[in-house]
Amino acid sequence: MLSGPVFAGSVDGPAIHRPSDDSTIILSLNASSTVVSSLSASSPQEHLDAAKRALVQFRRTANPRYLGDVERELAAIPDSDRSDQFYFYRASLKQSLHLFDEALADLNTLSQRGGDSLESLMMRFSISFVSGEYQDAEKACTALKNDQNNLYAASCSQQLHAATGDAEKAYHDLKLAMAKSGLLADRQALAWATGTLADIAERAGRDDSVAIWQLALQLEPDDLYTRARLAGEQLRLANYQDVIVVSKDYLAVDALAVSAAIAQKQLGEGEQLIAMLRKRFDEALWRGEILHKRAYAQFLLDIEQDAQAALVMAEENWAHQREWPDEVILARARAASRGAEPL
């Protein structure tokens, strides 16, 4: 599972109006969504602090304009002043943009400088795991065992076991590790472990998956990734009203908006949201910016009923990202393209 809400669905970019004159492109930004940059900063540390603030805001909002701020702040730092923080923040930026190879390159540089930390190792594990590079993920997980809080190591170890072996056993082993940590686990480690447990519960087909996602969201209410996974699992279980509730006020996030649109459609509603998503995805395609292909594949399959297009998008997504929901949408699209009922 990728760390934090970095993997929540993307928001739509600024509305693009294409006039009859193809030489002109107008980007319309409303005042409420404009991101204020702090390029007035003068020192490398000020630029790093500004980049960190922008990354935090991106994780809270999924607004990609904050990533533009991060990129500008980091670009203002001369090569001679690049610190461990610089490489970590740039890796975070690349991870957020799903440029996983580039993110790993920065993490490698950080490691060569002796700057590995709990956060950088968790990022390395997350990227390797999501990419399906399980041997690399195992190496990062092993390195995490040297940290005093071994709940992170237990989480990544059991997530690997669930993906490559017995998900039910991994579920019980992680739950036991969480019980042993008890009050010794800090809130962030407990939230990470709870989200991992929920992911494993989904893989194992357990009935308590929704309840565990709900607990994970209680621990980190601002985590958009957790919110999107909860909505997705509620949707799978046909808890349509619950999907609408958990997605309310978060429709700028593609994954949540698509789940809400499917739920509304099942209830005989959703025309306005579906029209908004069509426009959003059309503009993203025109810009060449379909960042989160999983949500788009689900939209094509469950809203547009275009199994072949959904399969193409799901396969493109699978080439780079291999979480459990990626596997599910790929299997559903393949089944639908053969004429079978979507799973």
Side-chain angles (χ1 to χ4, degrees):
M1 182 174 63
L2 288 178
S3 59
V6 173
F7 315 98
S10 64
V11 298
D12 55 327
I16 294 185
H17 305 280
R18 282 170 282 178
S20 56
D21 179 2
D22 289 340
S23 65
T24 304
I25 299 176
I26 301 174
L27 302 181
S28 298
L29 301 177
N30 61 52
S32 63
S33 63
T34 302
V35 176
V36 178
S37 176
S38 61
L39 279 177
S40 58
S42 57
S43 72
Q45 188 58 51
E46 287 176 322
H47 287 301
L48 287 171
D49 292 343
K52 180 180 180 179
R53 289 194 297 270
L55 280 169
V56 169
Q57 288 302 313
F58 170 73
R59 291 170 183 174
R60 289 176 177 170
T61 66
N63 188 333
R65 297 185 186 106
Y66 286 113
L67 296 182
D69 272 8
V70 177
E71 188 169 21
R72 286 190 294 273
E73 296 294 348
L74 295 179
I77 299 174
D79 292 358
S80 58
D81 290 322
R82 291 181 175 182
S83 62
D84 291 351
Q85 277 186 310
F86 171 89
Y87 289 105
F88 178 76
Y89 292 154
R90 195 169 70 173
S92 298
L93 170 65
K94 299 301 183 181
Q95 181 194 33
S96 300
L97 293 170
H98 288 199
L99 299 173
F100 297 145
D101 289 342
E102 295 182 25
L104 286 173
D106 276 337
L107 290 177
N108 289 339
T109 299
L110 182 61
S111 181
Q112 291 165 6
R113 292 166 57 98
D116 278 335
S117 63
L118 171 64
E119 292 78 11
S120 66
L121 289 171
M122 290 301 296
M123 188 189 302
R124 183 182 293 277
F125 168 80
S126 295
I127 292 173
S128 299
F129 180 82
V130 168
S131 302
E133 301 294 339
Y134 294 140
Q135 288 186 343
D136 291 339
E138 179 66 39
K139 291 177 182 177
C141 193
T142 299
L144 281 166
K145 293 178 182 177
N146 296 323
D147 187 78
Q148 289 183 347
N149 191 335
N150 61 7
L151 191 53
Y152 286 108
S155 297
C156 69
S157 179
Q158 297 309 325
Q159 192 165 30
L160 279 168
H161 290 166
T164 60
D166 188 342
E168 187 67 27
K169 184 178 186 302
Y171 172 90
H172 288 290
D173 287 348
L174 179 55
K175 201 168 186 181
L176 179 61
M178 293 170 68
K180 287 182 177 179
S181 294
L183 296 177
L184 296 177
D186 63 54
R187 188 179 182 88
Q188 186 175 359
L190 182 60
W192 181 284
T194 304
T196 301
L197 189 67
D199 179 76
I200 295 173
E202 278 194 43
R203 288 181 182 271
R206 294 184 55 88
D207 294 335
D208 57 356
S209 56
V210 164
I212 302 172
W213 278 122
Q214 288 172 331
L215 176 58
L217 189 61
Q218 289 174 9
L219 289 169
E220 287 195 317
D222 293 335
D223 192 321
L224 299 181
Y225 176 87
T226 298
R227 185 175 293 276
R229 288 293 300 270
L230 171 59
E233 186 66 349
Q234 289 174 326
L235 182 64
R236 185 184 70 82
L237 297 172
N239 300 331
Y240 300 128
Q241 289 292 353
D242 291 332
V243 174
I244 292 170
V245 170
V246 79
S247 303
K248 185 181 179 182
D249 300 326
Y250 296 91
L251 299 182
V253 181
D254 286 349
L256 285 161
V258 169
S259 291
I262 296 170
Q264 290 181 20
K265 183 180 179 181
Q266 292 296 323
L267 296 173
E269 306 167 355
E271 293 85 357
Q272 183 176 0
L273 178 56
I274 289 171
M276 182 186 75
L277 280 168
R278 284 195 183 112
K279 180 179 179 182
R280 180 186 301 182
F281 285 128
D282 284 346
E283 290 180 350
L285 285 169
W286 185 74
R287 294 192 301 264
E289 289 181 356
I290 293 293
L291 185 59
H292 298 87
K293 296 179 174 64
R294 180 171 76 208
Y296 188 39
Q298 189 175 9
F299 179 82
L300 291 169
L301 183 62
D302 294 325
I303 297 295
E304 304 292 25
Q305 303 292 304
D306 189 339
Q308 292 299 327
L311 179 58
V312 170
M313 191 56 54
E315 287 177 337
E316 288 185 13
N317 177 64
W318 184 253
H320 300 284
Q321 183 163 307
R322 301 190 175 191
E323 289 188 280
W324 175 245
D326 304 304
E327 185 173 341
V328 170
I329 190 61
L330 180 60
R332 293 184 63 233
R334 282 175 174 167
S337 68
R338 294 193 301 266
E341 188 71 20
L343 302 175

